[in-house]
Amino acid sequence: MDFASPQFWVAVLQIIAIDIVLGGDNAVVIALACRRLPEKQRNLGIFWGVFGAIALRVLLVFFALNLLAVPFLKILAALLLLWIGTKLLQPEPHGNGHKVDASTTLLGAIRTIIIADAVMSLDNVIAIAGAAKDSIELVVFGLVVSVPIIVLGSKLVMKLMDRFPVTIAIGAGLLGWIAGDMGVTDAVSKEWVNTNAAYLHWLAPACGALLVVVTGKWLAARAQAKSVAGVDLVDDVNKPL
């Protein structure tokens, strides 16, 4: 790892931002899984659950980094990231609670945290693999720094996102940026881009970020308009004759 390289720190900041933006649900799952543990065991449950989740995520990203070397897989992953970023900007559906079974035993809580994190981490893994640019050292360093931020500061991060919605748009735009970069660095496109269209290395990420934010905001506005129209229709039906 070249700590003096600006590219290294840019990638680290991207990984931290990805985990903060996409890791809020994971922090909630940790709290829910440990809520029935005795007070003395809660910190242990959180620590070992997070430790296992980090180890599993590093393993998943390691496989993702190797798989992304297969032709066209980076392009497919980029399309998936565009969808994830767009979905991030959509309003939360009503009643979208976390159904997590709280365990009364330490091992049960740890198991719940690890399994839930594995199920929920597809978006994180793909985004982190794209930001890490084939470096497992970057993945480990970024996760070690970011996961404690999520666990210890999850409430603060959630309040920040509620108060300043622009932070969510920035996070979604970051996913679009990484998607654009992945699209032009795929095994089938990288050589052609380097030879014939080097400008795509900055244009494609910028277009990816813009596409996610514009499309996401437009779909969110449509969903909001339909929701308001539906409420008005129900009110009209329920009006007394």
Side-chain angles (χ1 to χ4, degrees):
M1 291 187 291
D2 184 5
F3 290 98
S5 170
Q7 289 82 5
F8 170 83
W9 291 108
V10 168
V12 168
L13 290 175
Q14 286 182 339
I15 291 172
I16 292 173
I18 289 165
D19 262 326
I20 289 175
V21 170
L22 297 179
D25 285 348
N26 303 66
V28 173
V29 165
I30 290 169
L32 291 174
C34 296
R35 71 184 184 274
R36 290 184 184 172
L37 290 178
E39 190 69 32
K40 293 182 179 180
Q41 291 187 346
R42 285 182 184 175
N43 288 336
L44 281 175
I46 291 172
F47 174 80
W48 288 110
V50 171
F51 179 85
I54 292 174
L56 181 62
R57 197 175 298 185
V58 170
L59 184 64
L60 291 173
V61 177
F62 174 77
F63 283 110
L65 287 172
N66 287 280
L67 286 174
L68 289 180
V70 177
F72 294 106
L73 270 184
K74 269 194 175 183
I75 294 175
L76 292 175
L79 294 174
L80 181 58
L81 267 190
L82 290 173
W83 176 76
I84 291 170
T86 302
K87 187 180 177 184
L88 191 66
L89 292 171
Q90 304 312 299
E92 289 288 336
H94 295 295
N96 186 28
H98 294 273
K99 297 180 180 179
V100 178
D101 293 329
S103 178
T104 56
T105 66
L106 179 61
L107 288 178
I110 294 171
R111 182 179 65 248
T112 298
I113 292 170
I114 294 174
I115 293 174
D117 191 82
V119 172
M120 298 167 60
S121 290
L122 177 62
D123 50 2
N124 302 61
V125 167
I126 293 174
I128 289 171
K133 300 183 184 298
D134 305 326
S135 172
I136 193 66
E137 292 88 355
L138 262 176
V139 171
V140 175
F141 188 85
L143 288 177
V144 167
V145 172
S146 60
V147 170
I149 294 175
I150 296 169
V151 175
L152 298 177
S154 57
K155 291 183 180 179
L156 177 61
V157 170
M158 289 177 189
K159 287 181 180 178
L160 183 67
M161 289 183 174
D162 288 338
R163 186 170 181 181
F164 303 105
V166 69
T167 57
I168 300 177
I170 292 171
L174 173 62
L175 296 182
W177 181 279
I178 293 171
D181 182 71
M182 291 176 75
V184 297
T185 56
D186 187 86
V188 298
S189 61
K190 185 175 182 178
E191 187 175 344
W192 183 89
V193 169
N194 289 340
T195 304
N196 301 288
Y199 59 87
L200 287 177
H201 282 295
W202 61 265
L203 182 60
C207 289
L210 186 63
L211 177 65
V212 165
V213 173
V214 171
T215 304
K217 289 290 187 181
W218 176 68
L219 291 175
R222 278 189 62 188
Q224 190 69 28
K226 286 183 179 179
S227 177
V228 171
V231 171
D232 291 342
L233 180 61
V234 170
D235 289 342
D236 289 340
V237 171
N238 291 333
K239 280 182 180 178
L241 297 175

